[in-house]
Amino acid sequence: MTWISVAVNVVLTVLQIVIGLFGKSQALVADGLHSLSDLLCDFLVLFANRHGARDADEEHPYGHARIETATTLALGLILLGVGGALFWGAAMRLQDPAALQKVHVATLWIAILTLAGKEALFRYMLHVARKLRSQMLEANAWHARSDAASSLVVVAGIGGNLLGFTSMDILAAVLVAVMIMRMGWKQASQAISELIDTSLDKSEVAAIRATLLATSGVHGVHELRTRRMGDRALVDAHVLVNPRISVSEGHYIAESARARVLKQHHALDVMVHIDPEDDSSAKLNQHLPSRETLIAHLEQLLGQALPRHEKVVLHYLDGKAEAEIFLASEVSREQVAALKAAIADLLQDDPFFAAIHLHQRHAP
């Protein structure tokens, strides 16, 4: 597709500049320089297509899609520079009465040919870009549409000049320059927005949130963050799950949520963090000690080591810890009762534990 654009722009550039100089049309020459900038942009697109599609590697773990973004930024800056130069030149000529002269009729036919060629090129490029879902190719297609619009202005300017309004040709050159700068600013600002990790629009974020919430086992979503990487998205999210499920089930829920977003949205990667509670509002648990320290603290309070047990499950919730102690079957009922009574007294003012639950599976 890009090679077709290159071929069209080469032909139009040569015709516009040569006939524009021969026919003394400032507007046609300006549009020809615009086509020349398009040609350079087409080569930038070819470069980005070749290098931006490369797979991720050790130095670029998220792939090379940002090459497209950098290319879009370069395209926008080129258009700003070309438009600014054309605007300045045309504005200077408007102040020179000698520059206001009648153009040759051949320039009108070339302008009409250019208008038809660029409009056809736009429609073809937009169709392919949307089929491939490429942000950069679509940007280049709309760039071709701006070319068609500028060519329409040139047709009007040359037509007015041939009807006797000699300043119309240079006025058309000024308008073409303004249109080029406007499109350049739009492309550059969009690329900069992506480079500084601006979020996706609200409707896309809401759709991703709904997909996460629809995942079985997810009770809530917070700290949902998005950004673009080329024409795709990077997503980070914290999902709330039942705080008492196993680590493996929590991991399963996270992977399920991730897979759903990757399948239903145009995402490059999704990072899902599992939360047992809403840590955006609940008390932080970082001040609590580790497992070893908590068990040692409990044994110190009891004045003895814990009876023989199979495992201890800890829950860090709402700023305190809860422990589930699964005692061995040989621990006597009397020992269990004494331990429960001691624990009940100790928990009243304990800075670490909110609850301690004892479990015992008796031998058959």
Side-chain angles (χ1 to χ4, degrees), residues 347-359:
L347 289 181
Q348 293 180 4
D349 299 311
D350 191 78
F352 298 145
F353 284 105
I356 298 175
H357 306 284
L358 302 178
H359 306 280

Side-chain angles (χ1 to χ4, degrees), residues 129-287:
R130 289 181 173 173
K131 184 177 181 180
L132 298 177
R133 302 185 70 177
S134 171
Q135 178 187 14
M136 182 188 63
L137 291 178
E138 185 168 344
N140 209 33
W142 282 104
H143 178 201
R145 164 53 71 86
S146 74
D147 297 346
S150 68
S151 295
L152 179 61
V153 172
V154 172
V155 169
I158 293 176
N161 178 282
L162 291 172
L163 290 174
F165 303 97
T166 53
S167 63
M168 288 288 289
D169 180 68
I170 297 181
L171 286 173
V174 171
L175 287 175
V176 169
V178 170
M179 294 173 71
I180 294 172
M181 287 190 291
R182 180 179 178 275
M183 183 57 65
W185 170 254
K186 181 179 179 181
Q187 300 303 327
S189 61
Q190 287 178 348
I192 290 173
S193 175
E194 181 178 327
L195 288 173
I196 61 175
D197 288 338
T198 302
S199 174
L200 305 182
D201 64 54
K202 292 182 179 180
S203 61
E204 290 179 286
V205 174
I208 293 172
R209 183 184 298 276
T211 299
L212 291 169
L213 286 171
T215 304
S216 177
V218 173
H219 297 170
V221 177
H222 59 281
E223 294 188 34
L224 174 57
R225 298 179 295 179
T226 62
R227 53 195 169 114
R228 287 206 177 276
M229 175 71 76
D231 63 326
R232 304 176 76 181
L234 295 175
V235 181
D236 298 324
H238 286 220
V239 300
L240 188 65
V241 301
N242 186 324
R244 302 188 186 281
I245 61 176
S246 66
V247 172
S248 61
E249 185 178 356
H251 177 72
Y252 170 81
I253 293 172
E255 288 300 298
S256 298
R258 178 178 184 273
R260 286 171 59 86
V261 174
L262 287 172
K263 181 179 180 180
Q264 299 181 29
H265 304 276
H266 201 50
L268 175 66
D269 194 20
V270 181
M271 178 66 71
V272 179
H273 176 85
I274 292 296
D275 279 335
E277 59 187 352
D278 188 347
D279 52 13
S280 65
S281 60
K283 296 180 182 179
L284 297 178
N285 300 312
Q286 281 78 5
H287 67 283

Side-chain angles (χ1 to χ4, degrees), residues 10 33 62 65 70 72 75 180 204 220 247 281 293 309 313 325 350:
V10 166
L33 292 175
Y62 290 101
T72 302
L75 186 153
I180 294 172
E204 290 179 286
V247 172
S281 60
T293 304
H309 54 277
V313 177
I325 304 173
D350 191 78

